[in-house]
């Protein structure tokens, strides 16, 4: 059944059971997001960018975790929505090593897209939280433990899409979150036997990464 | 069915009572030793060994009865000696070291002299010795959850049964579940894990939820720094929790129950596992409980100690073998929890409240506490109070009564400054909130929160900025790293607080702290992130001047932040020729002046404060000041012996 919802005075139709963020994206209404993919069973709701205001609710809510309801009235561009989005974005940037010119994600990078949309630059309002060695040498860290891929923790926004896509492709995730707090990274399960890995036949994690934090070794 | 139930139960109960009576009526003296983790940490093992040795040596017959903790941490190791032949009532002794144990065996048990100078009080009202019940620490408490804690042996199910335990379960097994839920709803019991969600409503939702394999979980993943209520209850009376858990399972229609305890609580894990085994042996758990056809499989799950796993969705993830990261709610676990099945997760104290409520009725429970927060609350009151430990009080008692009357107030003639309630998620309340009643709503209105029961009292020497920094350091380290605000935001908060405590604060820092805190509060995914800025926000709200002093004057009013303080020696008070402070300085910063008094070399001083402790009280010459510039410069004379 199709439901009618109102987004910023624009009437759209959305299928029952669909999540609000997807409904907006399907109708050409962009809401910044990093950790969302279509048809995810349970939204991760971890990037905290897709906030919207829904009539009847006191505070902005992440639209990826809301199921559409008939007659729902949604605002995507209120001051409190933008405040949270910009704040989250600046926080992500304070942990992101900016090197756009030489970055493989340049021009297709989600962070660049969001910065443009939120009308903010790529310089964080917060002091950079990168490891000392990175700030001193101006060179980012590389995790080369995987036989085929390189992982760049100072680029990574920890959206978790690589883990999600790996799990859906192979039934089991060959990478995982490791450590905690500010030190959280994506990790491959140590030195794996290359013959047991799909190798360069599967590039799902490389292709889905919004910021090119995982790349093929042979290309870097 | 009813007949077999009653037959089974009567047999069990009579057996338990017979055992208790045999123990009570035995003519020999009984020595009750508190052997929970707190007691053991204070040396209860050695005390017990000393009693055993001394008894054997003197050839005295006595029973040593190991019990749990009664909450009197300031007095550990606690021993109660019941020596009927001496003519004295049972006597409560505090801080019973091995030496004291030997002395009491020789003089009290053998010769009948209770050694009045060591007596804390009698445990019952009598004419010979003042009773502990005359002290506010004892008589102003209201014990519902901890009623049996410290009185029974947690390793013996019969002792719990003899005290009326499992009676409520038996009663409940004959009632329709709806009636039980209605009673709990009527009692107004609210979840004691911190959020205060109505327990009856949670159970009703779970009962209505569709699912073949409903599960109930006891959340004992206690992790607030300085809080140990759940551990103590698990170690002192695990059966009351099991009984509550079984009642919960019966009413919501679950066949499986789990107790999620952190592995850092080895004694609690051991005791609760043993309690489950004993309950199974008596057919109080497992298949076909007491012949009623109700099956319940209870097991223990050991968590690995991540603070965030106390959050219910992260707890479920952790049981499922996933990384302990919270999920977005809804769906709530009562609809879709462990393995996709409806799951009820209740805190230890919530479940332990259930048997007494159903035993005495909802009206009785409502008569205790306040209108919106009925019942009692347990706090572990720690920090600068005289009688630290676990306190169970009716809701609605004021903070002043709790801190000053029951816990004896701030020791060493220091002034009260603030109290941090609710641990890293709670808030820091100043003196003018002391008359706030303790209940869910009043504490939330004040900016703190009930939390699960951590309470840290601070005296005038505490620095609220440093305390906030401590809590932020904790939450930042315990963040699971999933959502942006909690992972990165708390780290920036900590960075600013770090700078403030080092004297590197800048104008605008307070405003940055406030705005980032608000963003983290509104933007985070789970309760950990949403509440993480509370210590910062409340301390800025109530102690803004201290933050400003750190920034503008580089001054720490509590003289706690080391980079902002200095020690110096008051030459008018310093005694010529005294060397007390010289020997204790770990960095040789103390030197002798020309007139044989002492001075401190500020360049070498690490501000440990040892000299202040060492200075004899009749001189009291060492001063601590903030900002450090206030310390007068005392020149070190250039001699050959001076520091290289």
């Amino acid at each position: 059944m199709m439901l009618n919802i109102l987004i910023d005075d624009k009437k759209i139709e959305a299928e029952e059971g669909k999540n609000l963020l997807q409904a907006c994206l399907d109708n050409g209404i962009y809401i910044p997001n990093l950790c969302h993919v279509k048809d995810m069973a349970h939204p991760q709701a971890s990037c905290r960018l897709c906030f919207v205001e829904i009539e009847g609710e006191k505070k902005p809510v992440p639209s990826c975790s809301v199921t559409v309801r008939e007659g729902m009235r949604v605002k995507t561009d209120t001051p409190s929505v933008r405040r949270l989005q910009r704040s989250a974005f600046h926080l992500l940037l304070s942990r992101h090593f900016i090197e756009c010119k030489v970055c493989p994600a340049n021009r297709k990078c989600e962070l660049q897209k969001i910065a443009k949309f939120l009308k903010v630059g790529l310089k964080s309002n917060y002091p950079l939280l990168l490891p000392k060695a990175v700030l001193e040498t101006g060179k980012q860290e590389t995790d080369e433990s995987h036989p085929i891929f390189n992982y760049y923790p100072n680029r990574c926004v920890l959206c978790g899409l690589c883990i999600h896509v790996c799990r859906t492709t192979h039934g089991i995730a060959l990478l995982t979150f490791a450590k905690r707090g500010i030190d959280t990274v994506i990790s491959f399960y140590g030195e794996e036997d290359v013959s047991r890995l799909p190798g360069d036949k599967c590039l799902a994690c490389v292709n889905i990464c919004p910021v090119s934090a995982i790349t093929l070794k042979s290309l870097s | 069915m009813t007949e077999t139930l009653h037959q089974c139960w009567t047999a069990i109960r009579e057996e338990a009572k017979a055992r208790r009576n045999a123990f009570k009526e035995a003519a020999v003296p009984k020595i009750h030793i508190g052997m929970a983790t707190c007691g053991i940490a204070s040396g209860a093992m050695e005390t017990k060994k000393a009693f055993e040795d001394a008894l054997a040596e003197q050839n005295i017959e006595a029973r040593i009865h190991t019990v749990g903790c009664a909450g009197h941490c300031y007095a550990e190791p606690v021993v109660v000696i019941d020596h009927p032949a001496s003519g004295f009532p049972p006597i409560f002794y505090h801080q019973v070291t091995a030496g004291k144990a030997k002395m009491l065996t020789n003089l009290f048990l053998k010769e009948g002299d209770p050694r009045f100078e060591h007596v804390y009080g009698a445990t019952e009202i009598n004419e010979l010795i003042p009773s502990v019940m005359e002290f506010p620490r004892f008589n102003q408490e209201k014990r519902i959850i901890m009623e049996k804690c410290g009185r029974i042996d947690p390793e013996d199910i019969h002792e719990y049964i003899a005290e009326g335990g499992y009676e409520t379960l038996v009663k409940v097994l004959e009632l329709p579940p709806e009636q039980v839920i209605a009673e709990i709803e009527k009692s107004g019991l609210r979840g004691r894990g911190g959020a205060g969600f109505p327990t009856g409503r949670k159970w009703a939702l779970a009962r209505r939820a569709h699912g073949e394999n409903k599960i109930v979980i006891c959340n004992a993943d206690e992790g607030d720094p300085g809080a140990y209520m759940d551990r103590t209850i698990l170690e002192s009376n695990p059966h009351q929790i099991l009984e509550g858990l079984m009642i919960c399972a019966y009413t919501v229609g679950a066949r499986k129950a789990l107790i999620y305890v952190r592995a850092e609580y080895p004694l609690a894990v051991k005791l609760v596992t043993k309690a489950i085994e004993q309950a199974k042996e008596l057919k109080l758990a497992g298949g076909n409980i007491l012949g009623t056809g109700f099956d319940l499989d209870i097991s223990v799950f050991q968590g690995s100690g991540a603070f965030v796993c106390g959050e219910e969705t992260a707890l479920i993830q952790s049981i499922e073998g996933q990384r302990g990261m919270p999920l977005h709610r809804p769906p709530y676990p009562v609809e879709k929890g462990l393995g996709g099945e409806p799951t009820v997760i209740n805190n230890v104290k919530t479940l332990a409240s259930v048997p007494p409520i159903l035993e005495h009725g909802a009206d009785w429970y409502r008569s205790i506490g306040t209108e919106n927060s009925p019942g009692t609350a347990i706090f572990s009151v720690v920090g600068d109070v005289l009688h630290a430990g676990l306190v169970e009080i009716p809701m609605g008692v004021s903070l002043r009564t709790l801190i000053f009357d029951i816990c004896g107030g701030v020791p060493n003639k220091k002034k009260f400054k603030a109290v941090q309630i609710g641990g890293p998620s709670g808030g820091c309340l100043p003196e003018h909130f002391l008359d706030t009643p303790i209940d869910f709503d009043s504490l939330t209105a004040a900016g703190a929160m009930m939390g699960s029961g951590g309470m840290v009292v601070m005296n005038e020497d505490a620095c609220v900025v440093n305390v906030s920094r401590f809590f932020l350091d904790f939450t930042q380290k315990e963040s699971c790293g999933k959502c942006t605000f909690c992972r990165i935001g708390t780290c920036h908060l900590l960075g600013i607080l770090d700078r403030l405590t080092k004297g590197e604060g800048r104008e605008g820092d307070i405003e940055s702290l406030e705005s980032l805190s608000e963003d983290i509060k509104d933007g985070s995914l789970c309760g950990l992130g949403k509440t993480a800025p509370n210590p910062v926000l409340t301390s800025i709200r109530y102690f803004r001047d201290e933050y400003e002093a750190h920034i503008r004057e580089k001054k720490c009013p509590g003289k706690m932040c080391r980079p902002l303080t200095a020690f110096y020696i008051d030459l008018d008070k310093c005694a010529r020729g005294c060397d007390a402070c010289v020997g204790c300085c770990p960095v040789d910063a103390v030197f002798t002046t020309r007139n044989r008094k002492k001075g401190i070399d500020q360049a070498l001083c690490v501000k440990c404060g040892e000299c202040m402790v060492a200075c004899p009280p009749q001189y009291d010459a060492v001063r601590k000041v903030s900002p450090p510039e206030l310390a007068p410069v005392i020149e070190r004379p250039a001699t050959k012996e001076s520091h290289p």
Side-chain angles (χ1 to χ4, degrees), chain B residues 407-430:
Chain B
C407 291
V410 182
N412 303 328
K413 294 183 184 161
K414 296 274 183 186
K415 264 196 271 168
F416 171 88
K417 181 170 196 174
V419 55
Q420 167 82 20
I421 308 169
S425 310
C428 200
L429 300 182

Side-chain angles (χ1 to χ4, degrees), chain A residues 42-48 51 59 62 65 83-84 87-88 91-92 94-95 126-127 129 157-158 167 177-182 184, chain B residues 306-307 322-323 325 327-328 330-331 476-485 487-489 491-492 515-516 518-519 522-525:
Chain A
H42 196 105
Q44 303 189 80
S46 65
C47 72
R48 316 309 282 176
F51 283 104
K59 285 182 174 172
S65 54
R83 180 181 68 98
L84 282 178
S87 183
L91 287 174
L92 286 170
S94 72
R95 208 35 201 166
Y126 302 105
L129 265 182
V157 290
L158 292 165
R167 189 181 294 122
F177 288 112
K179 303 189 187 173
R180 54 177 151 175
I182 193 74
T184 310
Chain B
F307 178 63
Q322 308 287 336
R323 184 179 156 93
M325 300 222 271
L327 301 177
H328 182 85
Q476 184 264 133
K477 282 188 183 130
E478 291 293 344
S479 163
C480 76
K482 182 172 180 178
C483 84
T484 307
F485 283 103
R487 180 180 73 237
I488 309 176
C491 212
H492 282 292
S515 83
L516 183 53
E518 289 298 337
D519 290 350
D522 292 346
S524 291
L525 170 64

